[in-house]
Amino acid sequence: DTTPPVVTAPADILVEAENTSVTTANDAAITAFLAGSSAVDAIDDTNLSFAHNAPATFPLGATLVTFTYTDTAGNAGSATATVTIIDTTAPVVTAPDNITVEAPGVTDIASFLTGSSSTDAVDPAPTVSDNAPTTFPLGDTVVIFTHTDGSGNAGTATATVSVIDTISPVVTAPADTIVEAPSGAALTTFLAGSTVVDAGDPIPAFSHNAPVPLPLGATLITFTYTDASGNVGFDTATVTGIDTTAPVV
């Protein structure tokens, strides 16, 4: 007897990864695959010895398994089939909690953007990205956190950054001044001399309560700035109108 057994391997299979590897012990499809070969021998079908070279643990990708049957005369026949471990399951992403920050809130937002997490059956460290803008405007911005595993599967989750502005503009009035009546360039310069700083609005609306015409004596002028969120800041300064000019006769 010099004729080896004729071996029939099982059909190739695809198996979804359940963790970083799939073992013969924990996956029913692989167990059935390894038991699925058969052989026919011209002399003795009942006393064939059987072996395969399947690893104890199947990695991601294709693994070629050889099924070998040997008859009592020592003739060995073999056939092969492939187990392909695939990963089509996206990471499960957990976004950070929604946050509300006072403008500009840079520190709080930076911490928020590093706060997402994920779990993935195969990849312990998926690549993390988000669509956060460089600058967050006032109001609500929904941020999408995306975690992509080594097989290209992407999972997402969202959270909201709410930027509010409840802080009034900080106003600095010009120095008190004395102007000669009737007022002219000196008063104009004085009224244009206030400054303002506001975290949420670089150009708050401006007004003042200077009367027209300016009377003789001291007048307290209020310089008022209102930002886009309706917060009002003000400061005051005094302009004193004097008359030192003699009548023209």
Side-chain angles (χ1 to χ4, degrees):
D1 178 12
T2 61
T3 303
V6 177
V7 181
T8 301
D12 297 341
I13 61 170
L14 296 176
V15 178
E16 181 72 25
E18 296 176 358
N19 44 48
T20 53
S21 59
V22 176
T23 66
T24 59
N26 68 2
D27 188 88
I30 292 178
T31 300
F33 168 83
L34 295 178
S37 64
S38 61
V40 176
D41 188 72
I43 303 299
D44 186 0
D45 287 341
T46 61
N47 292 310
L48 300 176
S49 62
F50 168 65
H52 61 69
N53 68 338
T57 300
F58 283 81
L60 282 174
T63 298
L64 187 68
V65 178
T66 301
F67 299 86
T68 302
Y69 286 78
T70 304
D71 63 21
T72 54
N75 304 302
S78 64
T80 60
T82 300
V83 175
T84 302
I85 305 299
I86 59 174
D87 175 17
T88 62
T89 304
V92 177
V93 182
T94 301
D97 292 335
N98 299 333
I99 62 170
T100 298
V101 297
E102 184 74 34
V106 174
T107 301
D108 293 334
I109 292 176
S111 176
F112 166 84
L113 293 178
T114 60
S116 67
S117 61
S118 66
T119 57
D120 187 79
V122 176
D123 187 349
T127 301
V128 180
S129 62
D130 61 65
N131 69 336
T134 302
T135 302
F136 282 79
L138 288 173
D140 294 341
T141 299
V142 177
V143 178
I144 301 173
F145 296 87
T146 302
H147 290 233
T148 305
D149 66 22
S151 297
N153 305 302
T156 62
T158 62
T160 300
V161 176
S162 299
V163 179
I164 61 173
D165 177 14
T166 62
I167 299 175
S168 297
V170 177
V171 181
T172 303
D176 296 341
T177 191
I178 298 172
V179 297
E180 182 77 21
S183 56
L187 179 60
T188 299
T189 299
F190 170 79
L191 294 177
S194 64
T195 59
V196 64
V197 175
D198 187 79
D201 184 354
I203 311 176
F206 168 64
S207 64
H208 61 71
N209 67 339
V212 178
L214 183 73
L216 290 174
T219 300
L220 186 68
I221 307 298
T222 300
F223 298 85
T224 303
Y225 287 81
T226 305
D227 66 22
S229 297
N231 304 301
V232 178
F234 65 90
D235 195 12
T236 59
T238 298
V239 57
T240 301
I242 62 174
D243 179 9
T244 61
T245 304
V248 177
V249 178

